[in-house]
Amino acid sequence: MALTPRHQTSDAWTSAAIDSLGASLDAAIHDAGVPGGVLAVGQVALPADPVSRPPSDRPPSDRLPTDRLPTDRLPTGRPPTRAVSGRGILGPECGAAVPDGHTRYDMASLTKVVATWPLIGRAVRDGLLDPDEPLRTYLPDAPAPGRDLTTRHLMTHTSGMLPSTGLARYQLSGRSLLDHLCAEPLVDVPGARHRYIDRGFILLGLLLPIIRNRPLHELAAEFWQELGLDSTCYGPLARSARVAPTEARLAGAPRTWGIPHDPSAALLGGVAGHAGVFSTAADLATFAEHLLTPANPLADWFESSRQPAIAVEPGLLRGLAWIVTADGTAAYHHGYTGTSLYLSPPTGRYIVLCTNAVYHGWQRTRLAPVRDLALRTLTS
């Protein structure tokens, strides 16, 4: 009897998924001007008879990360399956070089879930931060109205802060960026409406060094090292065929390459809570395997973060940082440069997409078919 997609063996599903997604990415390369990209598809081994309770019914200490699970051990004793496929080229600057699982890409807004979100989880775990306490608890000198927002508001994109990032307006003002962000008037009542913005995660990226008394890039580097994400880092990176170039912002000027494509992250020296991280498909796959591995403390934080906070659009809701499907089968996040990370906790499956789709300027339709197929592949 033929296996349905949901009941395929892990190897069969991984093989079928990488083939279909690879064909879709090839179409984006040939028809939409994407230089190339890398796909990683995999599945972790889940317990044969899992016992679970809704996160809201579990004690808070159970829902937060407490330690690290080694990357090479799963509760079942079976390693995860993984397939990686590089397509196209990095860009004309790199000749005919084909990207692979170790090519570094600008993660753009995947920074929010690869850096800021897990570091917030650790701060919660260590009792340094309560997601529902106002920011004035930790930033007593911060001005209103921002001082009255909570970390939960910022992580669920319900803060009501200005939708336009535009940090350049604050240059040479003599006032701290944190004060500027908190002093700006709100455009919505906090908690009332979902509006995806960068300002909330920029503010979280400024908060973390204050409560930890360490720079954001050091906190992130320590976290990535513990998880074995050896190629994940904040820039700048040297221009080479191991780093995918992005957009040329000015005709005749050097292309953005090894520095953040995001202008606000670049203005912040490349280290920010919303953008600035570079990583590889292989590292994102390892990160996904941590999140999906039962009994992994990081998976506990992921589970509690998937609880829906507010509707985004029909069938999609926002948790803490992550978009979640209404049926709970998937959580995902995108990066503006052409990156995506999809995870399905019920099946242990994940899909990673790394591209430099902004190479010729951004057009949302370039990757739409690939991204739509990725979500369908994961949830069908």
Side-chain angles (χ1 to χ4, degrees):
M1 181 177 68
L3 295 174
T4 64
R6 189 175 290 278
H7 295 92
Q8 286 177 330
T9 64
S10 59
D11 288 341
W13 178 84
T14 300
S15 178
I18 201 77
D19 287 346
S20 62
L21 288 166
S24 182
L25 181 54
D26 286 343
I29 293 168
H30 297 141
D31 302 334
V34 177
V38 185
L39 290 158
V41 175
Q43 184 170 7
V44 302
L46 299 177
D49 184 22
V51 177
S52 63
R53 287 180 286 161
S56 59
D57 293 340
R58 297 169 61 185
S61 60
D62 275 355
R63 303 202 305 266
L64 300 175
T66 55
D67 201 357
R68 176 195 171 210
L69 188 74
T71 58
D72 58 349
R73 295 196 61 191
L74 298 173
T76 59
R78 298 192 303 273
T81 60
R82 184 192 298 183
V84 179
S85 178
R87 328 289 283 213
I89 63 173
L90 272 76
E93 296 85 354
C94 301
V98 177
D100 60 28
H102 302 289
T103 301
R104 281 171 163 162
Y105 282 87
D106 182 345
M107 294 290 102
S109 281
L110 280 192
T111 298
K112 293 179 175 74
V113 294
V114 174
T116 309
W117 168 77
L119 291 177
I120 290 292
R122 287 192 162 194
V124 173
R125 171 200 70 183
D126 294 342
L128 298 175
L129 190 65
D130 183 328
D132 297 306
E133 281 290 316
L135 295 181
R136 64 176 180 272
T137 303
Y138 315 102
L139 306 170
D141 297 326
R147 71 194 311 265
D148 298 319
L149 298 173
T150 67
T151 300
R152 190 177 302 278
H153 288 141
L154 303 180
M155 297 189 76
T156 56
H157 297 277
T158 60
S159 66
M161 298 177 77
L162 291 176
S164 173
T165 306
L167 301 188
R169 75 186 79 175
Y170 304 136
Q171 293 184 89
L172 306 178
S173 72
R175 189 180 189 185
S176 74
L177 176 58
L178 192 151
D179 278 2
H180 275 299
L181 293 173
C182 287
E184 290 281 13
L186 303 180
V187 297
D188 282 309
V189 176
R193 177 183 176 185
H194 178 271
R195 188 196 300 266
Y196 183 82
I197 62 171
D198 287 333
R199 281 174 170 256
F201 274 79
I202 293 173
L203 188 51
L204 290 172
L206 299 173
L207 172 65
L208 282 164
I210 292 173
I211 63 176
R212 287 289 192 185
N213 198 31
R214 293 179 60 192
L216 179 62
H217 69 279
E218 289 185 5
L219 295 170
E222 181 179 76
F223 168 72
W224 296 325
Q225 183 180 26
E226 290 180 11
L227 265 63
L229 310 185
D230 298 329
S231 297
T232 303
C233 63
Y234 279 104
L237 300 175
R239 296 174 177 232
S240 76
R242 304 310 303 159
V243 180
T246 55
E247 188 178 4
R249 289 287 177 77
L250 298 172
R255 183 171 293 277
T256 303
W257 191 359
I259 59 175
H261 176 269
D262 183 274
S264 295
L267 195 59
L268 287 166
V271 180
H274 73 296
V277 169
F278 289 79
S279 191
T280 67
D283 270 13
L284 288 181
T286 298
F287 182 60
E289 289 160 6
H290 277 282
L291 295 181
L292 293 170
T293 299
N296 185 333
L298 189 57
D300 291 339
W301 175 236
F302 183 44
E303 183 178 358
S304 62
S305 296
R306 296 195 313 273
Q307 299 310 297
I310 195 165
V312 176
E313 59 182 68
L316 297 177
L317 305 104
R318 179 75 66 177
L320 293 180
W322 298 89
I323 294 177
V324 295
T325 56
D327 62 2
T329 58
Y332 64 94
H333 208 288
H334 298 312
Y336 186 89
T337 48
T339 57
S340 297
L341 176 59
Y342 302 84
L343 306 104
S344 177
T347 62
R349 295 169 178 170
Y350 64 85
I351 295 171
V352 172
L353 173 65
C354 291
T355 79
N356 51 345
V358 294
Y359 186 89
H360 296 297
W362 177 245
Q363 290 182 11
R364 189 170 296 276
T365 56
R366 278 199 182 108
L367 282 181
V370 186
R371 284 173 162 169
D372 290 346
L373 178 60
L375 186 58
R376 292 198 309 272
T377 300
L378 201 67
T379 58
S380 62

